Amino acid sequence: MDITEWHKGMQEEMEALVKDHGVNSFLVYLAYKDVFQLTDSQVYEVFSVIRDLGAIAQVHAENGDIVAEEQRRILEQGITGPEGHVLSRPEEVEAEAVNRSVTVANQTNCPLYVTKVMSKSAADVIAQARKKGTVVYGEPITASLGTDGSHYWSKNWAKAAAYVTSPPLSPDPTTPDYLNSLLSCGDLQVTGSAHCTFNTAQRAVGKDDFSLIPEGVNGTEERMSIIWDKCVVTGKMDENQFVAVTSTNSAKIFNLYPRKGRIAVGSDADLVLWDPDVTKIISAKSHNSVRPLF
């Protein structure tokens, strides 16, 4: 459940969601200034409420104030293409916000789940915090594990725009392997997709202004295959770790285990028969996510 504004009446609504509807996580934004972004003091209050409710805080970690200023500066320089998106959101802007959210979580004694870990620096902040005893979990996504942000400079505008998501994919081509390694050794704990797709016509609203390009990439359909290919096939993790980072760990973090995330009598597991020898090509022609939903 997203918390995109904050006032005292929200606390009662959160209590009802937890007690009456089973909601056990709430997402706050440190980005999207004047839209979704909360102030640090508001995040402190929200985290305190989440702690008291026995839920877990999720955070979209980017410094929204810096992003807003950088977007303005880069547009004034005449940079309007998709490359402006990643230029206005450098890696340290993500890492700073992750560090800030960890600090607030520590001060409020609230467990924290960092969504969409996209860069080495952000991942390192999480890993170091965990070594110091902070209850924080890091979630790289299909895109950050499988590719990088070099495509933002493609001369094909539609291709470059297709990679626009926030935080952006890192231009550093070694980032995916680095994140896969941290996922495999346990410094990052779970994987997501942040699946939010748009076609070229929809993204074209930002043809002359990168800040208007709708943000989001695919990842649901590809997630398990990418992790298997990048982590298990390469020898970074074994099959049991694969199950943990794709299923079991998230069930435990969100208090669904052992009803979910476990194959046992009394559990409600979704079973997948996995053929490790199958070869498949990721293609728009065969993707379910490009087909009509109705």
Side-chain angles (χ1 to χ4, degrees):
M1 180 67 67
D2 291 8
I3 305 295
T4 58
E5 59 180 85
W6 182 246
H7 51 78
K8 290 301 182 182
M10 295 282 289
Q11 181 172 345
E12 295 181 2
E13 296 179 16
M14 291 170 68
E15 290 176 357
L17 286 169
V18 171
K19 295 176 182 178
D20 300 335
H21 301 283
V23 174
N24 60 11
S25 66
F26 296 91
L27 173 66
V28 301
Y29 294 85
L30 301 185
Y32 305 114
K33 186 176 182 179
D34 300 326
V35 183
F36 300 142
Q37 181 178 332
L38 300 186
T39 65
D40 289 350
S41 59
Q42 288 173 327
V43 172
Y44 185 99
E45 290 184 40
V46 173
F47 281 14
S48 297
V49 172
I50 292 173
R51 173 203 62 212
D52 292 343
L53 292 173
I56 185 169
Q58 296 189 63
V59 64
H60 174 116
E62 292 180 285
N63 187 313
D65 291 323
I66 292 179
V67 169
E69 291 300 317
E70 286 296 283
Q71 286 178 329
R72 179 185 57 77
R73 181 182 67 83
I74 289 170
L75 285 169
E76 287 177 351
Q77 292 179 352
I79 299 173
T80 61
E83 71 276 13
H85 177 73
V86 68
L87 291 173
S88 66
R89 293 172 128 94
E91 183 172 317
E92 62 184 351
V93 168
E94 179 189 2
E96 183 279 330
V98 171
N99 185 69
R100 185 155 35 102
S101 63
V102 166
T103 300
V104 177
N106 272 333
Q107 294 302 308
T108 56
N109 198 28
C110 179
L112 180 65
Y113 182 104
V114 182
T115 67
K116 295 180 288 186
V117 177
M118 306 297 279
S119 67
K120 292 180 179 179
S121 300
D124 285 342
V125 171
I126 295 167
Q128 290 302 315
R130 287 178 60 84
K131 287 179 173 63
K132 296 177 182 178
T134 300
V135 181
V136 57
Y137 307 99
E139 175 214 73
I141 64 172
T142 310
S144 64
L145 294 170
T147 189
D148 60 64
S150 60
H151 306 282
Y152 291 123
W153 281 268
S154 172
K155 296 186 182 301
N156 181 330
W157 186 92
K159 177 182 177 181
Y163 288 82
V164 169
T165 190
S166 290
L169 290 158
S170 172
D172 180 353
T174 66
T175 297
D177 185 67
Y178 190 84
L179 295 180
N180 280 298
S181 293
L182 292 192
L183 179 67
S184 299
C185 76
D187 284 342
L188 298 173
Q189 295 71 43
V190 68
T191 55
S193 67
H195 189 97
C196 183
T197 57
F198 298 93
N199 61 33
T200 301
Q202 291 169 320
R203 293 191 192 262
V205 69
K207 189 71 171 68
D208 301 313
D209 181 347
F210 66 82
S211 68
L212 300 179
I213 299 173
E215 299 173 5
V217 292
N218 54 303
T220 299
E221 189 174 351
E222 307 83 4
R223 182 176 67 105
M224 295 184 72
S225 295
I226 290 291
I227 296 165
W228 182 271
D229 186 63
K230 300 294 184 180
C231 294
V232 181
V233 173
T234 59
K236 292 180 183 291
M237 68 169 63
D238 62 21
E239 294 87 346
N240 293 315
Q241 290 173 289
F242 173 72
V243 173
V245 301
T246 58
S247 304
T248 306
N249 289 352
S250 59
K252 290 179 178 179
I253 291 168
F254 293 106
N255 200 29
L256 297 173
Y257 187 89
R259 185 170 66 83
K260 293 286 188 181
R262 183 174 185 233
I263 300 174
V265 175
S267 294
D268 177 21
D270 299 313
L271 301 181
V272 176
L273 299 180
W274 192 264
D275 187 341
D277 298 319
V278 166
T279 299
K280 61 189 297 184
I281 297 174
I282 296 178
S283 169
K285 295 179 181 179
S286 59
H287 260 35
N288 290 300
S289 57
V290 301
R291 294 169 185 165
L293 298 178
F294 51 83

